[in-house]
Amino acid sequence: MGLTRTEIFSTEQNQLATLLKALAHPARIAILQRILASTTCICGDLVDELGLAQATISQHLKELKNAEIIQGTVEGVSVCYCINPVTWKLIETQMGAFLGAYKQEANCC
């Protein structure tokens, strides 16, 4: 049996690609910016603040939660979300290493 596409890449490469794919939507960036700016978990106020439908926001929250970028807790009938600090640190570390690997050369195109 042949290799699948992901099997030819390292665990770190696959992990970073999965995280970046989850981040690669302007609505998800806006959601994360709102969560980051808050001092508490975010519950139902994203609809009013972002101007997107509840179903749309729920789908984006689901994608971010599936990637473990955010975590949620159930409080009554609502779910409150906050940044998952472990995954956030992982993104910071892996992106820092990835972007830091570029060394500009004076004689490059």
Side-chain angles (χ1 to χ4, degrees):
M1 180 177 243
L3 295 175
T4 63
R5 293 182 193 149
T6 58
E7 289 178 344
I8 64 173
F9 302 107
S10 72
T11 300
E12 291 80 15
Q13 290 167 331
N14 283 307
Q15 188 174 45
L16 184 57
T18 298
L19 292 169
L20 291 177
K21 182 178 178 183
L23 291 172
H25 193 286
R28 294 182 200 146
I29 297 296
I31 289 168
L32 289 170
Q33 287 174 325
R34 177 63 187 98
I35 292 172
L36 288 166
S38 176
T39 57
T40 62
C41 290
I42 299 294
C43 295
D45 55 351
L46 289 170
V47 172
D48 294 333
E49 291 188 30
L50 299 179
L52 297 172
Q54 178 62 54
T56 302
I57 289 178
S58 293
Q59 183 60 39
H60 288 301
L61 288 168
K62 179 182 174 187
E63 293 295 325
L64 291 168
K65 190 167 184 202
N66 286 343
E68 298 181 1
I69 295 171
I70 61 172
Q71 52 195 5
T73 57
V74 177
E75 294 184 9
V77 294
S78 64
V79 180
C80 296
Y81 293 98
C82 60
I83 298 293
N84 180 336
V86 174
T87 304
W88 198 259
K89 184 66 178 171
L90 178 69
I91 294 169
E92 181 183 25
T93 301
Q94 287 191 353
M95 281 302 298
F98 177 69
L99 295 173
Y102 173 69
K103 307 296 181 215
Q104 185 176 9
E105 295 187 22
N107 296 330
C108 184
C109 49

